[in-house]
């Protein structure tokens, strides 16, 4: 398979996942779109040296690092009404309109950032604890501990919301 075809297949398979992860973290469509583009630009630039067997974790790790860098710099990205892009055209609508998604989003926003990231990676993106550990640069045991703490706090929030 040609390099371009292989990369295109990876892009189709993971771009929505990366975008969704960034959107859940930032709640900013355009920032998520820009950072997703940057993730795949970096993937393309290093394509020949990437380990293809651990590609998903690498992509999420790059997305995580880009988002952390953006928060550190505290850049403001203007929001426009237009949400045209290369992703699932109904994705933003699905994320914003579904009542359960809204409740989950509110609950996730109550968590400290480290617990929120683990919860999104493990339960929204359905990554393994090992993949989440690579992305967050922590041990797999630490991911499981953070996951447990996140679940406890989410359960408390949901019980208080009733």
């Amino acid at each position: 398979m040609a390099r371009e075809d292989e990369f295109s297949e990876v892009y189709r398979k993971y771009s929505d996942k990366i975008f969704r992860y960034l959107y859940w973290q930032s709640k900013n469509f355009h920032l998520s779109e820009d950072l997703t583009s940057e993730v795949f630009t970096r993937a393309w630039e290093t394509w020949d040296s990437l380990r293809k067997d651990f590609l998903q974790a690498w992509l999420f790790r790059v997305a995580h690092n880009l988002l952390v860098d953006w928060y550190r710099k505290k850049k403001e990205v203007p929001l426009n009404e237009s949400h045209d892009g290369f992703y699932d055209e109904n994705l933003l609508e699905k994320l914003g309109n579904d009542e359960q998604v809204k409740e989950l989003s509110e609950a996730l926003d109550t968590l400290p950032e480290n617990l929120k990231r683990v919860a999104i990676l493990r339960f929204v993106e359905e990554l393994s604890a090992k993949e989440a550990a690579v992305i967050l640069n922590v041990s797999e045991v630490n991911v499981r501990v953070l996951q447990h703490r996140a679940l406890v706090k989410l359960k408390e929030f949901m019980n208080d919301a009733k």
Side-chain angles (χ1 to χ4, degrees):
M1 182 182 295
R3 181 179 194 240
E4 292 83 7
D5 293 339
E6 188 178 24
F7 182 81
S8 293
E9 183 178 317
V10 167
Y11 181 84
R12 279 190 295 277
K13 184 174 181 180
Y14 295 112
S15 63
D16 280 348
K17 287 182 168 191
I18 298 297
F19 174 83
R20 191 172 48 241
Y21 168 73
L22 292 165
Y23 184 78
W24 274 94
Q25 290 289 327
S26 69
K27 304 292 189 287
N28 183 321
F29 184 89
H30 294 288
L31 173 64
S32 302
E33 192 173 49
D34 289 346
L35 293 181
T36 300
S37 177
E38 180 62 24
V39 167
F40 285 95
T41 298
R42 290 183 184 194
W44 177 256
E45 290 169 350
T46 59
W47 188 253
D48 294 330
S49 64
L50 285 178
R51 285 185 48 200
K52 306 305 186 275
D53 58 330
F54 222 52
L55 188 58
Q56 178 174 253
W58 185 88
L59 292 169
F60 274 94
R61 180 72 189 162
V62 171
H64 169 79
N65 289 344
L66 287 170
L67 190 62
V68 168
D69 289 347
W70 182 84
Y71 278 121
R72 282 187 187 141
K73 293 176 185 175
K74 297 185 188 253
K75 288 185 178 176
E76 291 297 320
V77 176
L79 293 175
N80 297 327
E81 291 303 311
S82 171
H83 299 293
D84 298 332
F86 297 106
Y87 311 102
D88 179 352
E89 60 191 41
N90 298 316
L91 181 61
L92 186 63
E93 186 176 321
K94 289 175 191 173
L95 288 174
N97 292 336
D98 185 69
E99 193 60 37
Q100 288 179 329
V101 172
K102 284 182 184 179
E103 289 175 15
L104 176 59
S105 180
E106 288 174 13
L108 287 170
D109 286 342
T110 67
L111 296 176
E113 281 303 311
N114 62 338
L115 300 183
K116 180 179 177 181
R117 286 188 185 109
V118 168
I120 290 171
L121 290 171
R122 292 287 288 133
F123 305 120
V124 175
E125 296 303 329
E126 299 178 345
L127 299 179
S128 70
K130 184 176 183 177
E131 290 171 315
V134 169
I135 293 163
L136 299 173
N137 200 27
V138 297
S139 71
E140 192 173 340
V141 171
N142 195 359
V143 167
R144 293 186 190 281
V145 169
L146 294 171
Q147 171 185 316
H148 174 74
R149 290 178 185 163
L151 286 173
V152 168
K153 289 194 178 285
L154 288 171
K155 185 176 179 181
E156 288 172 3
F157 176 83
M158 298 306 265
N159 286 338
D160 291 345
K162 289 182 182 181

